[in-house]
Amino acid sequence: RAAESSTRRARRRGDAFASASRRARQMIHFALLFSKQGKIRLSKYYVVTSQKDRKRIERDAVNAIIPRPTKACNVVEYKDMKLIYRKYASLYFCLAVDREANELATLEQIQHYVEILDKYFGNVCELDLVFNFHKAHYVLDEVFIAGHLQETSKKLIARLVGEHDALVESAKFGGLAGEDS
């Protein structure tokens, strides 16, 4: 009887570890931002992917998402993952996640990133991403690290990005002042 209950406890413990392991595997494989014309404006891969595969993935994602009706579901099955996207004005924000990932949580992560970009750029548009792609990448890196949501505080991210901008500006002007001497 004691051996039977310890076996049950071990099995439950194993199920808990397996469940935690499944949650840990749920990650973002890549993030894409593209226009309604299909131009990639930002791409970030969190898994090792060859350049050839990246081009194919981007082409497949754009071709799978753009022609979909606006009332269609925002989830597209793609290979062993799901493409979860959201359209804002003329831009599509897409995250590729594991099949087991929660679609609504992923849509919230996209919304979180867009709200931070809106706050930073003041109503973000495609031109902001074209001319300031490095800033959009920096914000993305503050929000997601290694394919996982890192920071949820919009105020903290805004402060960190502001500090980064101030540092870049001081380095620019400091470098120019140093060259004049």
Side-chain angles (χ1 to χ4, degrees), residues 6 36 54 61 64 69 80 98 100 111 133 135 141 146 170 181:
S6 68
K36 64 182 176 184
R54 287 179 185 206
D80 61 336
D98 294 323
E100 302 84 32
Q111 178 70 26
F133 64 91
K135 292 180 181 180
D141 290 340
S170 70
S181 302

Side-chain angles (χ1 to χ4, degrees), residues 113 116-117 120 135-143 157 161:
Y113 178 59
I116 293 167
L117 287 177
Y120 181 70
K135 292 180 181 180
H137 269 281
Y138 184 74
V139 172
L140 186 68
D141 290 340
E142 287 296 325
V143 176
I157 293 172
V161 172

Side-chain angles (χ1 to χ4, degrees), residues 27-151:
M27 66 172 283
I28 299 167
H29 295 269
F30 58 86
L32 296 176
L33 274 67
F34 51 92
S35 68
K36 64 182 176 184
Q37 291 82 19
K39 294 278 284 179
I40 302 294
R41 298 301 180 192
L42 181 142
S43 65
K44 177 79 175 186
Y45 289 81
Y46 297 103
V47 293
V48 178
T49 310
S50 71
Q51 198 64 33
K52 182 180 173 186
D53 288 340
R54 287 179 185 206
K55 291 291 182 198
R56 183 181 42 74
I57 288 169
E58 291 168 7
R59 184 186 65 239
D60 292 348
V62 166
N63 291 337
I65 292 171
I66 289 179
R68 291 174 61 87
T70 54
K71 299 284 185 189
C73 176
N74 290 17
V75 179
V76 177
E77 298 286 328
Y78 179 73
K79 297 187 178 185
D80 61 336
M81 53 191 131
K82 292 187 271 191
L83 302 177
I84 300 175
Y85 69 94
R86 192 116 182 230
K87 183 180 180 190
Y88 295 94
S90 65
L91 285 171
Y92 288 89
F93 292 76
C94 173
L95 295 178
V97 296
D98 294 323
R99 285 192 182 264
E100 302 84 32
N102 184 330
E103 293 93 352
L104 294 176
T106 305
L107 283 169
E108 281 299 314
Q109 292 173 357
I110 292 171
Q111 178 70 26
H112 178 64
Y113 178 59
V114 171
E115 286 175 2
I116 293 167
L117 287 177
D118 272 344
K119 189 173 185 177
Y120 181 70
F121 288 112
N123 199 10
V124 69
C125 67
E126 188 174 353
L127 286 176
D128 292 326
L129 298 178
V130 170
F131 294 116
N132 299 299
F133 64 91
H134 55 284
K135 292 180 181 180
H137 269 281
Y138 184 74
V139 172
L140 186 68
D141 290 340
E142 287 296 325
V143 176
F144 301 106
I145 294 180
H148 298 280
L149 182 65
Q150 179 63 27
E151 186 55 59

